[in-house]
Every structure is written in structure tokens, then in C-alpha cells.
Amino acid sequence: MPTDQDRLHEETDRSNDTRTQEAEQAVHSSSRRKFLKTTGYALGGLVVGGALSTIIGCNTKDSTEDTTDKTPTDTGAAANEVKNYNRALMFFTQEQYRIVESAAERIFPEDDNGPGATALGVAFFIDHQLAGDYGFNGRDYMSPPFYAGEKEQGYQGRLKRREIYEIGIRELDNYSNSKYQKGFTSLAPEEMDAVLKDFESDTAKLTTISASAFFKMLRTNTLEGAYSDPLYGGNANMNGWRMRGYPGNQMSYTATIDKGYTPIEPSSLQDHMAAH
């Protein structure tokens, strides 16, 4: 039969257990509150802002620290750069794009007059054109029979432009490897020029397509990308027009028609959108 002393020990033990549980709960509650504060309610942050980085790199300093009147540090020009989401590939692979970009830059290089094909986004223009009707020869008669036509008749064949580009890019790289033991994008500028001249003159003997026909198409598309409306992916910031002094898509010339030659800031199709 338990004595009074035994009952006193039991009550003391229960009291100690209760205090221990309360202390553990307090620690757990405090840790949970701190976790929620430092993650910024991570679940809600992911749904609203996709801010996964706030979870990975969360601030572990004491939440009582004064954070008022803090000036954010400069994260560099890259953080302030506005992305051009039109500059994305729709047809080319990354490797094909780099070859076309390098070739177009040699055809239309940057110089003292202004930017070259790379800065103007010419390769993106070509990529986007090949992804659409132009690449599929959507407006051309493409049924047989196929005969060698007159010069004025243009291309006569079964291959679509996008297929000619795929073959031409591969042959351009193969010819570079054969002549210089390097891929086209690894060549020095003067070596790139030599390869392109061999294609232009049909010195590069191809069994699949006409080397000169591919070069002519690439050159034509390069110039189109440099001078077309920026809507189509090239002529970035209308700088191609500025080099030529071309006014772009003007609605009217009434303000300058009586003033002789007057330089006009170019206008794109986007500039005619109604303001909201």
C-alpha cells in the first residue's frame, strides 16, 4: 500500500512531466513561427510569385532586427535588362542557330556605320520565317514534275526552304571541317569568308543541293532580317533602318514635305498601336 511519501513522489513526477511537455511545445511553436517568418509563408510565395529562391536563400537573421529604411543594393545591369521574348528559337537547334548567326554576321558585319546581323537579330528573323509559311513554301506550287527552269522562274524543286536550310547548314559545317579541320563557328573571320565564297561560287561541290543557291538564299534572308520591320524578329530597335536613313512606317510626311531632306526618326508598325 503506497505511503504518503510515495504519493508525493508521483505527483512531483507528473508535475515535472507536464512542465517538460509545455517547454517542448513552446520550443516547437517558437521554431514553427520562426520558420514561417523566414520563409515568407513559402507556399503562398510559390503560388503568387514563384519565388523558389526565397526558400533556398531565406534570411536566417533574428526577425526582430530593424529592416526599415533599407536601400536595396544594385544587382547589376542584367537585373534591369528588359527581356525580348521574341528572341527565341522556333525552328533551328541551338547549333544550327549559331552557324546561321555566324554566317549572317560575315555577310552583314558590324562596322563604323552600325550594328551587324548578330546585334540586329537576323538569325532570329530567319528562324521565325522558316517556322512559318515561308519555310514550308506555303505560297509556292510544289507538285511534280520538277524540271530545271529558266533563271526568271526561280527555284524548281521538291525541297522546302526549311529543308534546304537544314542541308545547307550541315554542308557548311562539313565543308569547314574538310577544309580547316574545324566547325564553321570555330573558324577565324577570314576563314568563314573563304568558306562562304566557296559556296557562292559553287567551288564547294555538294551532291545534295546547290551551294550557290543556298548562299543566295542565306544572303537574301540576311538582308531581309536587317531591314524588315522589327515585328518579324530582326532589325532590332529599327537600327537597320537608322543606318540607311529609312523612316520606316510613317503615317504621313506632311510635317516635312516642304522642308527638303529632313532626317526622320523611324517608326515601326508597333508605333501605330492605339494608346490605352
Side-chain angles (χ1 to χ4, degrees):
M1 190 148 179
T3 63
D4 291 341
Q5 187 173 4
D6 292 335
R7 283 194 291 270
L8 179 60
H9 284 311
E10 290 177 1
E11 290 177 359
T12 300
D13 290 341
R14 283 197 298 271
S15 178
N16 288 337
D17 290 342
T18 300
R19 284 196 295 271
T20 300
Q21 291 175 1
E22 290 175 350
E24 290 176 349
Q25 290 174 357
V27 170
H28 176 74
S29 179
S30 175
S31 299
R32 185 172 183 275
R33 283 196 300 273
K34 187 173 182 181
F35 170 78
L36 291 174
K37 288 180 180 180
T38 55
T39 57
Y41 295 98
L43 181 59
L46 284 173
V47 173
V48 176
L52 182 60
S53 59
T54 60
I55 298 178
I56 299 174
C58 60
N59 182 8
T60 57
K61 292 182 180 180
D62 192 334
S63 60
T64 60
E65 180 182 352
D66 182 17
T67 59
T68 59
D69 298 326
K70 299 290 185 180
T71 303
T73 58
D74 183 13
T75 56
N80 298 323
E81 181 181 355
V82 178
K83 290 184 178 180
N84 183 352
Y85 292 99
N86 195 38
R87 288 201 165 193
L89 298 181
M90 300 172 66
F91 172 68
F92 289 141
T93 65
Q94 298 280 347
E95 182 180 4
Q96 289 171 333
Y97 166 78
R98 286 191 290 270
I99 292 173
V100 171
E101 183 183 48
S102 298
E105 180 67 21
R106 298 312 305 159
I107 294 171
F108 197 96
E110 181 177 356
D111 58 18
D112 294 339
N113 295 317
T118 299
L120 291 173
V122 165
F124 287 110
F125 166 84
I126 296 174
D127 170 80
H128 294 183
Q129 292 298 304
L130 294 176
D133 283 350
Y134 177 80
F136 285 99
N137 293 65
R139 298 185 180 184
D140 299 336
Y141 182 79
M142 296 292 292
S143 297
F146 300 105
Y147 298 109
E150 299 296 329
K151 182 179 179 180
E152 294 77 12
Q153 292 178 304
Y155 172 70
Q156 305 287 316
R158 62 172 51 85
L159 291 176
K160 298 179 176 64
R161 293 186 184 95
R162 53 179 17 221
E163 295 170 331
I164 294 174
Y165 257 94
E166 286 182 322
I167 296 171
I169 292 169
R170 183 170 63 250
E171 294 289 6
L172 196 67
D173 210 41
N174 289 341
Y175 187 78
S176 300
N177 276 296
S178 175
K179 187 169 184 173
Y180 295 108
Q181 292 74 54
K182 292 182 290 186
F184 186 79
T185 57
S186 299
L187 299 180
E190 60 273 12
E191 294 172 334
M192 289 184 181
D193 292 346
V195 169
L196 291 173
K197 287 178 181 178
D198 286 351
F199 268 65
E200 182 183 20
S201 62
D202 273 325
T203 301
K205 303 300 182 183
L206 307 183
T207 59
T208 48
I209 60 172
S210 165
S212 60
F214 171 66
F215 174 83
K216 183 179 179 180
M217 183 183 297
L218 175 60
R219 180 183 182 277
T220 298
N221 295 156
T222 296
L223 296 177
E224 289 172 343
Y227 295 125
S228 64
D229 191 281
L231 163 69
Y232 300 103
N235 190 16
N237 199 32
M238 300 181 289
N239 285 330
W241 288 346
R242 287 188 176 88
M243 282 190 290
R244 304 292 297 178
Y246 179 67
N249 296 288
Q250 299 290 330
M251 295 294 289
S252 171
Y253 295 93
T254 55
T256 58
I257 196 170
D258 295 327
K259 296 181 180 179
Y261 174 74
T262 304
I264 302 175
E265 178 66 12
S267 176
S268 71
L269 290 172
Q270 184 189 51
D271 294 327
H272 303 320
M273 293 290 293
H276 294 285

Coordinates of all heavy atoms in Angstrom, one line a residue, residues 150-212:
E150 N 14.0 28.3 -116.1 CA 14.8 29.4 -116.5 C 15.1 30.2 -115.3 O 14.5 30.1 -114.2 CB 14.0 30.3 -117.5 CG 13.6 29.6 -118.8 CD 14.8 29.2 -119.6 OE1 15.9 29.9 -119.5 OE2 14.8 28.2 -120.3
K151 N 16.1 31.1 -115.4 CA 16.5 31.9 -114.3 C 15.4 32.8 -113.7 O 15.3 32.9 -112.5 CB 17.7 32.8 -114.7 CG 18.3 33.7 -113.6 CD 19.4 34.6 -114.1 CE 20.0 35.4 -113.0 NZ 21.1 36.3 -113.5
E152 N 14.5 33.2 -114.6 CA 13.4 34.1 -114.2 C 12.4 33.3 -113.5 O 11.5 33.9 -112.8 CB 12.8 34.8 -115.4 CG 13.7 35.8 -116.1 CD 14.7 35.1 -117.0 OE1 14.6 33.9 -117.2 OE2 15.7 35.8 -117.5
Q153 N 12.4 32.0 -113.6 CA 11.3 31.2 -113.0 C 11.6 30.9 -111.5 O 10.8 30.4 -110.8 CB 11.2 29.9 -113.8 CG 10.5 30.1 -115.1 CD 10.4 28.8 -115.9 OE1 11.4 28.1 -116.1 NE2 9.2 28.5 -116.3
G154 N 12.9 31.1 -111.1 CA 13.2 30.8 -109.7 C 13.4 29.4 -109.4 O 13.6 28.5 -110.3
Y155 N 13.2 29.0 -108.2 CA 13.5 27.7 -107.7 C 12.5 26.7 -108.3 O 11.3 26.9 -108.2 CB 13.5 27.6 -106.2 CG 13.6 26.3 -105.6 CD1 14.7 25.5 -105.7 CD2 12.5 25.7 -104.9 CE1 14.8 24.2 -105.1 CE2 12.5 24.4 -104.4 CZ 13.7 23.7 -104.5 OH 13.8 22.4 -103.9
Q156 N 13.0 25.6 -108.7 CA 12.1 24.5 -109.2 C 12.6 23.2 -108.5 O 13.6 22.6 -108.9 CB 12.2 24.3 -110.7 CG 11.9 25.6 -111.5 CD 10.5 25.9 -111.6 OE1 9.6 25.0 -111.8 NE2 10.2 27.2 -111.3
G157 N 11.9 22.7 -107.5 CA 12.3 21.5 -106.8 C 11.3 21.1 -105.8 O 10.4 21.8 -105.5
R158 N 11.6 19.9 -105.2 CA 10.7 19.4 -104.2 C 11.0 19.7 -102.8 O 10.2 19.6 -101.9 CB 10.7 17.8 -104.3 CG 12.0 17.1 -104.1 CD 11.8 15.6 -104.0 NE 11.1 15.1 -105.1 CZ 11.7 14.8 -106.3 NH1 13.0 15.0 -106.5 NH2 11.0 14.3 -107.3
L159 N 12.3 20.2 -102.5 CA 12.7 20.5 -101.2 C 12.1 21.9 -100.7 O 12.1 22.9 -101.5 CB 14.2 20.6 -101.1 CG 15.0 19.3 -101.3 CD1 16.5 19.6 -101.3 CD2 14.6 18.3 -100.2
K160 N 11.6 21.9 -99.5 CA 11.1 23.1 -98.9 C 12.3 23.9 -98.4 O 13.4 23.4 -98.2 CB 10.1 22.8 -97.8 CG 8.9 22.1 -98.2 CD 8.0 21.8 -97.1 CE 6.7 21.1 -97.5 NZ 6.9 19.8 -98.1
R161 N 12.1 25.2 -98.2 CA 13.2 26.1 -97.8 C 13.8 25.7 -96.5 O 15.0 25.7 -96.3 CB 12.7 27.6 -97.7 CG 12.3 28.2 -99.0 CD 11.9 29.6 -98.9 NE 11.5 30.2 -100.1 CZ 10.2 30.3 -100.5 NH1 9.2 29.9 -99.7 NH2 9.9 30.9 -101.6
R162 N 12.9 25.2 -95.5 CA 13.4 24.8 -94.2 C 14.3 23.5 -94.4 O 15.3 23.4 -93.7 CB 12.3 24.5 -93.3 CG 11.3 23.5 -93.8 CD 10.1 23.2 -93.0 NE 9.9 24.0 -91.8 CZ 9.5 23.6 -90.6 NH1 9.4 22.3 -90.4 NH2 9.3 24.4 -89.6
E163 N 14.0 22.7 -95.4 CA 14.8 21.5 -95.7 C 16.1 21.9 -96.3 O 17.2 21.3 -96.0 CB 14.1 20.5 -96.6 CG 12.8 20.0 -95.9 CD 11.9 19.2 -96.8 OE1 11.9 19.5 -98.0 OE2 11.2 18.3 -96.4
I164 N 16.1 22.9 -97.2 CA 17.3 23.4 -97.8 C 18.2 24.0 -96.8 O 19.5 23.8 -96.8 CB 17.0 24.5 -98.9 CG1 16.2 23.8 -100.1 CG2 18.2 25.1 -99.4 CD1 15.7 24.8 -101.1
Y165 N 17.7 24.7 -95.8 CA 18.5 25.3 -94.8 C 19.1 24.2 -93.9 O 20.3 24.3 -93.6 CB 17.6 26.2 -93.9 CG 17.9 27.7 -94.2 CD1 17.1 28.4 -95.0 CD2 18.9 28.4 -93.5 CE1 17.3 29.7 -95.3 CE2 19.1 29.7 -93.8 CZ 18.3 30.4 -94.7 OH 18.5 31.7 -95.0
E166 N 18.4 23.2 -93.6 CA 18.9 22.1 -92.7 C 20.1 21.4 -93.4 O 21.1 21.2 -92.8 CB 17.8 21.1 -92.4 CG 16.8 21.6 -91.4 CD 15.8 20.5 -91.1 OE1 15.4 19.8 -92.0 OE2 15.4 20.4 -89.9
I167 N 19.9 21.2 -94.7 CA 21.0 20.6 -95.5 C 22.2 21.5 -95.7 O 23.4 21.2 -95.5 CB 20.5 20.1 -96.9 CG1 19.4 19.0 -96.7 CG2 21.7 19.6 -97.8 CD1 18.7 18.7 -98.0
G168 N 21.9 22.8 -96.0 CA 22.9 23.8 -96.2 C 23.7 24.1 -95.0 O 25.0 24.2 -95.1
I169 N 23.1 24.1 -93.8 CA 23.8 24.3 -92.6 C 24.8 23.2 -92.3 O 25.9 23.3 -91.9 CB 22.9 24.5 -91.4 CG1 22.1 25.9 -91.6 CG2 23.6 24.5 -90.1 CD1 20.9 26.0 -90.6
R170 N 24.3 22.0 -92.5 CA 25.1 20.8 -92.3 C 26.3 20.7 -93.3 O 27.4 20.4 -92.9 CB 24.2 19.5 -92.4 CG 25.0 18.2 -92.2 CD 24.0 17.0 -92.1 NE 23.3 16.8 -93.3 CZ 22.0 17.0 -93.5 NH1 21.3 17.4 -92.5 NH2 21.5 16.7 -94.7
E171 N 26.0 21.1 -94.5 CA 27.1 21.0 -95.5 C 28.1 22.2 -95.3 O 29.3 22.0 -95.5 CB 26.5 21.2 -96.9 CG 25.6 20.0 -97.4 CD 26.5 18.8 -97.7 OE1 27.7 18.8 -97.4 OE2 25.9 17.8 -98.2
L172 N 27.6 23.3 -94.8 CA 28.5 24.4 -94.4 C 29.5 24.0 -93.3 O 30.7 24.2 -93.4 CB 27.7 25.6 -94.0 CG 28.4 27.0 -93.9 CD1 28.8 27.4 -95.3 CD2 27.5 28.0 -93.3
D173 N 29.0 23.3 -92.3 CA 29.8 22.8 -91.3 C 30.8 21.7 -91.7 O 32.0 21.6 -91.4 CB 29.0 22.3 -90.1 CG 29.6 22.5 -88.7 OD1 30.3 23.5 -88.5 OD2 29.5 21.6 -87.9
N174 N 30.2 20.7 -92.6 CA 31.1 19.7 -93.1 C 32.2 20.2 -94.0 O 33.3 19.7 -93.9 CB 30.2 18.7 -93.9 CG 29.3 17.9 -93.1 OD1 29.5 17.7 -91.9 ND2 28.2 17.3 -93.7
Y175 N 31.9 21.2 -94.8 CA 32.9 21.7 -95.7 C 34.0 22.4 -94.9 O 35.2 22.4 -95.2 CB 32.3 22.7 -96.7 CG 33.2 23.2 -97.7 CD1 33.5 22.5 -98.8 CD2 33.8 24.5 -97.6 CE1 34.4 22.9 -99.8 CE2 34.6 25.0 -98.6 CZ 34.9 24.2 -99.7 OH 35.8 24.7 -100.6
S176 N 33.6 23.1 -93.8 CA 34.6 23.8 -92.9 C 35.5 22.8 -92.2 O 36.7 23.0 -92.2 CB 33.8 24.6 -91.8 OG 33.0 25.6 -92.4
N177 N 34.9 21.7 -91.8 CA 35.7 20.6 -91.2 C 36.7 20.0 -92.2 O 37.8 19.6 -91.9 CB 34.8 19.5 -90.6 CG 34.4 19.9 -89.2 OD1 35.2 20.0 -88.3 ND2 33.1 20.0 -89.0
S178 N 36.2 19.9 -93.5 CA 37.0 19.3 -94.5 C 38.2 20.2 -94.9 O 39.3 19.8 -95.1 CB 36.2 19.0 -95.7 OG 37.0 18.5 -96.8
K179 N 37.9 21.5 -94.9 CA 38.9 22.5 -95.4 C 39.8 22.9 -94.3 O 41.0 23.1 -94.5 CB 38.2 23.7 -96.0 CG 39.1 24.7 -96.7 CD 38.4 25.7 -97.5 CE 39.4 26.6 -98.2 NZ 38.7 27.5 -99.2
Y180 N 39.3 23.1 -93.1 CA 40.1 23.7 -92.0 C 40.2 22.8 -90.7 O 40.8 23.1 -89.7 CB 39.6 25.0 -91.5 CG 39.7 26.1 -92.6 CD1 38.5 26.5 -93.3 CD2 40.9 26.6 -93.0 CE1 38.6 27.5 -94.3 CE2 41.0 27.6 -93.9 CZ 39.8 28.0 -94.6 OH 39.9 29.0 -95.6
Q181 N 39.5 21.6 -90.8 CA 39.5 20.7 -89.7 C 38.9 21.3 -88.4 O 39.2 21.0 -87.3 CB 40.9 20.2 -89.3 CG 41.5 19.2 -90.3 CD 42.0 20.0 -91.6 OE1 42.8 20.9 -91.5 NE2 41.5 19.6 -92.8
K182 N 37.9 22.2 -88.7 CA 37.2 22.9 -87.6 C 35.8 23.1 -88.1 O 35.6 23.3 -89.2 CB 37.8 24.2 -87.2 CG 39.2 24.1 -86.5 CD 39.7 25.5 -86.1 CE 40.1 26.3 -87.4 NZ 40.8 27.6 -87.0
G183 N 34.8 23.1 -87.1 CA 33.5 23.5 -87.4 C 33.4 25.0 -87.8 O 34.3 25.8 -87.5
F184 N 32.3 25.4 -88.5 CA 32.2 26.7 -89.0 C 32.3 27.8 -87.9 O 33.0 28.8 -88.1 CB 30.9 26.9 -89.8 CG 30.7 28.2 -90.5 CD1 31.4 28.4 -91.7 CD2 30.0 29.2 -89.9 CE1 31.3 29.7 -92.3 CE2 29.9 30.5 -90.5 CZ 30.5 30.7 -91.8
T185 N 31.6 27.6 -86.8 CA 31.6 28.6 -85.8 C 33.0 28.7 -85.1 O 33.2 29.7 -84.3 CB 30.6 28.3 -84.7 OG1 30.8 27.0 -84.2 CG2 29.2 28.3 -85.3
S186 N 33.9 27.8 -85.3 CA 35.2 27.8 -84.7 C 36.3 28.5 -85.6 O 37.4 28.6 -85.2 CB 35.7 26.4 -84.3 OG 34.9 25.8 -83.4
L187 N 35.8 28.8 -86.8 CA 36.8 29.4 -87.8 C 37.1 30.9 -87.5 O 36.3 31.6 -86.8 CB 36.2 29.3 -89.2 CG 35.9 27.9 -89.8 CD1 35.3 28.0 -91.2 CD2 37.1 27.0 -89.8
A188 N 38.2 31.3 -87.9 CA 38.5 32.7 -87.9 C 37.7 33.5 -88.9 O 37.2 32.9 -89.9 CB 40.0 33.0 -88.2
P189 N 37.5 34.8 -88.7 CA 36.6 35.5 -89.7 C 37.0 35.3 -91.1 O 36.2 35.1 -92.0 CB 36.8 37.0 -89.2 CG 37.0 36.8 -87.7 CD 37.9 35.6 -87.6
E190 N 38.3 35.4 -91.4 CA 38.7 35.3 -92.8 C 38.5 33.9 -93.3 O 38.3 33.7 -94.5 CB 40.2 35.7 -92.9 CG 41.2 34.8 -92.1 CD 41.4 35.4 -90.7 OE1 40.6 36.3 -90.3 OE2 42.4 34.9 -90.1
E191 N 38.6 32.9 -92.5 CA 38.3 31.5 -92.9 C 36.8 31.3 -93.2 O 36.4 30.6 -94.1 CB 38.7 30.5 -91.8 CG 40.2 30.5 -91.6 CD 40.7 29.6 -90.4 OE1 39.9 29.5 -89.5 OE2 41.8 29.1 -90.4
M192 N 35.9 32.0 -92.3 CA 34.5 31.9 -92.6 C 34.2 32.6 -94.0 O 33.4 32.0 -94.8 CB 33.7 32.7 -91.5 CG 33.7 32.0 -90.2 SD 32.7 33.0 -89.0 CE 32.8 32.0 -87.5
D193 N 34.8 33.7 -94.3 CA 34.6 34.4 -95.5 C 35.0 33.5 -96.7 O 34.3 33.4 -97.7 CB 35.5 35.7 -95.6 CG 35.0 36.7 -94.6 OD1 33.8 36.6 -94.1 OD2 35.7 37.7 -94.4
A194 N 36.1 32.7 -96.5 CA 36.6 31.8 -97.6 C 35.6 30.7 -97.9 O 35.3 30.4 -99.0 CB 38.0 31.3 -97.2
V195 N 35.0 30.2 -96.8 CA 34.0 29.1 -96.9 C 32.8 29.6 -97.6 O 32.3 29.0 -98.6 CB 33.7 28.5 -95.6 CG1 32.5 27.6 -95.7 CG2 34.9 27.7 -95.0
L196 N 32.3 30.8 -97.2 CA 31.1 31.4 -97.8 C 31.4 31.7 -99.3 O 30.5 31.5 -100.1 CB 30.7 32.6 -97.0 CG 30.2 32.4 -95.6 CD1 30.0 33.7 -94.9 CD2 28.9 31.6 -95.7
K197 N 32.5 32.2 -99.6 CA 32.9 32.5 -101.0 C 32.9 31.2 -101.9 O 32.5 31.2 -103.0 CB 34.2 33.2 -101.1 CG 34.1 34.6 -100.7 CD 35.5 35.3 -100.7 CE 35.4 36.8 -100.2 NZ 36.8 37.4 -100.3
D198 N 33.4 30.1 -101.3 CA 33.4 28.8 -102.0 C 31.9 28.4 -102.3 O 31.7 27.7 -103.3 CB 34.1 27.8 -101.2 CG 35.6 28.0 -101.2 OD1 36.1 28.8 -102.0 OD2 36.3 27.3 -100.5
F199 N 31.0 28.6 -101.3 CA 29.6 28.3 -101.5 C 29.0 29.2 -102.6 O 28.3 28.8 -103.5 CB 28.8 28.4 -100.2 CG 28.8 27.2 -99.5 CD1 29.9 26.6 -98.9 CD2 27.5 26.5 -99.2 CE1 29.8 25.4 -98.2 CE2 27.5 25.3 -98.5 CZ 28.6 24.8 -98.0
E200 N 29.3 30.5 -102.5 CA 28.8 31.5 -103.5 C 29.2 31.1 -104.9 O 28.4 31.3 -105.9 CB 29.2 32.9 -103.1 CG 28.7 33.9 -104.0 CD 29.2 35.3 -103.7 OE1 30.3 35.4 -103.1 OE2 28.6 36.3 -104.1
S201 N 30.4 30.7 -105.1 CA 30.9 30.4 -106.5 C 30.8 28.9 -106.9 O 31.2 28.5 -108.0 CB 32.4 30.7 -106.5 OG 33.2 29.9 -105.6
D202 N 30.1 28.1 -106.0 CA 30.0 26.7 -106.3 C 31.3 26.0 -106.3 O 31.4 24.8 -106.9 CB 29.2 26.4 -107.6 CG 27.7 26.4 -107.4 OD1 27.3 26.0 -106.3 OD2 27.0 26.9 -108.3
T203 N 32.3 26.6 -105.7 CA 33.6 25.8 -105.6 C 33.4 24.7 -104.6 O 34.1 23.6 -104.8 CB 34.7 26.8 -105.0 OG1 34.9 27.9 -105.9 CG2 36.0 26.1 -104.9
A204 N 32.5 24.8 -103.7 CA 32.2 23.8 -102.8 C 31.2 22.9 -103.5 O 30.1 23.2 -103.8 CB 31.5 24.3 -101.5
K205 N 31.7 21.7 -103.9 CA 30.9 20.8 -104.7 C 30.0 19.9 -103.7 O 30.5 19.0 -103.0 CB 31.8 19.9 -105.5 CG 32.7 20.6 -106.4 CD 31.9 21.5 -107.4 CE 32.9 22.2 -108.4 NZ 32.2 23.1 -109.3
L206 N 28.7 20.2 -103.8 CA 27.8 19.5 -102.9 C 26.9 18.5 -103.8 O 26.6 18.8 -105.0 CB 26.8 20.4 -102.2 CG 27.5 21.5 -101.4 CD1 26.4 22.4 -100.7 CD2 28.5 21.0 -100.4
T207 N 26.6 17.4 -103.3 CA 25.8 16.4 -104.0 C 24.4 16.5 -103.7 O 23.5 15.8 -104.3 CB 26.3 15.0 -103.7 OG1 26.2 14.7 -102.3 CG2 27.8 14.8 -104.2
T208 N 24.0 17.2 -102.6 CA 22.7 17.3 -102.1 C 21.9 18.5 -102.7 O 20.8 18.3 -103.1 CB 22.7 17.3 -100.6 OG1 23.6 18.3 -100.2 CG2 23.1 16.0 -100.0
I209 N 22.5 19.7 -102.6 CA 21.8 20.9 -103.0 C 22.8 21.7 -103.7 O 24.0 21.4 -103.7 CB 21.2 21.7 -101.8 CG1 22.3 22.1 -100.8 CG2 20.1 20.9 -101.1 CD1 21.9 23.0 -99.7
S210 N 22.4 22.8 -104.4 CA 23.3 23.8 -105.0 C 23.9 24.7 -103.9 O 23.1 25.3 -103.2 CB 22.5 24.6 -106.0 OG 23.3 25.7 -106.4
A211 N 25.2 24.7 -103.8 CA 25.9 25.5 -102.8 C 25.6 27.0 -103.0 O 25.3 27.7 -102.1 CB 27.4 25.3 -102.8
S212 N 25.6 27.4 -104.3 CA 25.4 28.8 -104.6 C 23.9 29.2 -104.3 O 23.6 30.3 -103.9 CB 25.7 29.1 -106.1 OG 25.0 28.3 -107.0

